[in-house]
Amino acid sequence: PVKARLFRLAARTAGGVAATAADLEEFREVLAELEARNPTPRAASSALLDGEWDQCFTNNPAGGVVWSDGRTARRKLLGPPPSPLAALPLTGRVTQLVDLSVGEYRQRVQSRALGLRAELRAAVAPTEDGEAWEVAFRSFTFSAAAGRLPLRARETSGYEGVWRHSYVDADTRVMRTRKKGADDEWVFVLRRAVT
């Protein structure tokens, strides 16, 4: 099955961080096959997006991913600049939380160490064709005790982008992101979080 190949590739490449040029070529081939089978029209406005998703792969070298087993991923946990945590080897599980009823996307990095959490919030609105989101970052928070003890918060602005959902089903999601005005496109593969 195509999805199984994709998840094995995610595990083999530690979520993309250890991907070779050959791995990335294989990733493009498997991804094209999966995207050709997208069962969800107007995917960016589908209720299937709502809920929590584990990131398992990205080709974005600035994504901070340090490990993946093809089911979940861990990335560096950094507080907002300037942060003394940047020098520490802290990592956390990276998830995305979507609530289309309020037009909100959150990326959360949750560490077991002291319950440290970094969370980025963004406003999302489906494009007219229903295949992508218009995205605008809103805030960044850093907290302890799994979000119950705020340590730092700041409004964020300046990032706007278009994020296209090229494959969505009940347990798998592929998102292609592009910052407005940029040429680079980054791919994120996600799996429905298991709680």
Side-chain angles (χ1 to χ4, degrees), residues 155-174:
E155 296 301 310
T156 58
S157 62
Y159 178 94
E160 292 183 350
V162 175
W163 296 0
R164 187 168 54 90
H165 299 274
S166 57
Y167 184 92
V168 176
D169 69 15
D171 63 8
T172 304
R173 183 171 139 230
V174 176

Side-chain angles (χ1 to χ4, degrees), residues 94-116:
V94 59
T95 60
Q96 295 181 3
L97 298 95
V98 178
D99 185 348
L100 289 180
S101 70
V102 295
E104 184 177 73
Y105 161 93
R106 292 179 285 156
Q107 182 184 69
R108 178 181 291 165
V109 180
Q110 178 74 49
S111 175
R112 291 185 202 112
L114 304 173
L116 293 174

Side-chain angles (χ1 to χ4, degrees), residues 38-189:
N38 183 18
T40 309
R42 300 183 57 81
S45 55
S46 171
L48 288 172
L49 292 174
D50 284 336
E52 185 172 11
W53 296 83
D54 275 300
Q55 179 181 314
C56 63
F57 184 94
T58 184
N59 65 343
N60 184 346
V65 173
V66 296
W67 172 89
S68 175
D69 62 359
R71 169 78 235 155
T72 64
R74 298 188 70 74
R75 69 172 283 174
K76 295 174 187 171
L77 180 70
L78 305 175
S83 172
L85 295 176
L88 299 176
L90 294 173
T91 65
R93 175 183 171 201
V94 59
T95 60
Q96 295 181 3
L97 298 95
V98 178
D99 185 348
L100 289 180
S101 70
V102 295
E104 184 177 73
Y105 161 93
R106 292 179 285 156
Q107 182 184 69
R108 178 181 291 165
V109 180
Q110 178 74 49
S111 175
R112 291 185 202 112
L114 304 173
L116 293 174
R117 175 186 290 174
E119 188 168 277
L120 172 73
R121 289 179 183 255
V124 297
T127 56
E128 193 173 308
D129 67 4
E131 297 301 319
W133 288 337
E134 295 280 345
V135 179
F137 287 1
R138 295 291 184 234
S139 65
F140 180 88
T141 57
F142 193 71
S143 59
R148 294 183 302 276
L149 179 61
L151 300 175
R152 193 176 230 179
R154 67 178 163 97
E155 296 301 310
T156 58
S157 62
Y159 178 94
E160 292 183 350
V162 175
W163 296 0
R164 187 168 54 90
H165 299 274
S166 57
Y167 184 92
V168 176
D169 69 15
D171 63 8
T172 304
R173 183 171 139 230
V174 176
M175 186 171 67
R176 293 177 171 272
T177 69
R178 185 184 311 263
K179 184 176 182 177
K180 282 193 178 174
D183 293 328
D184 294 330
E185 178 180 74
W186 305 116
V187 179
F188 294 83
V189 177

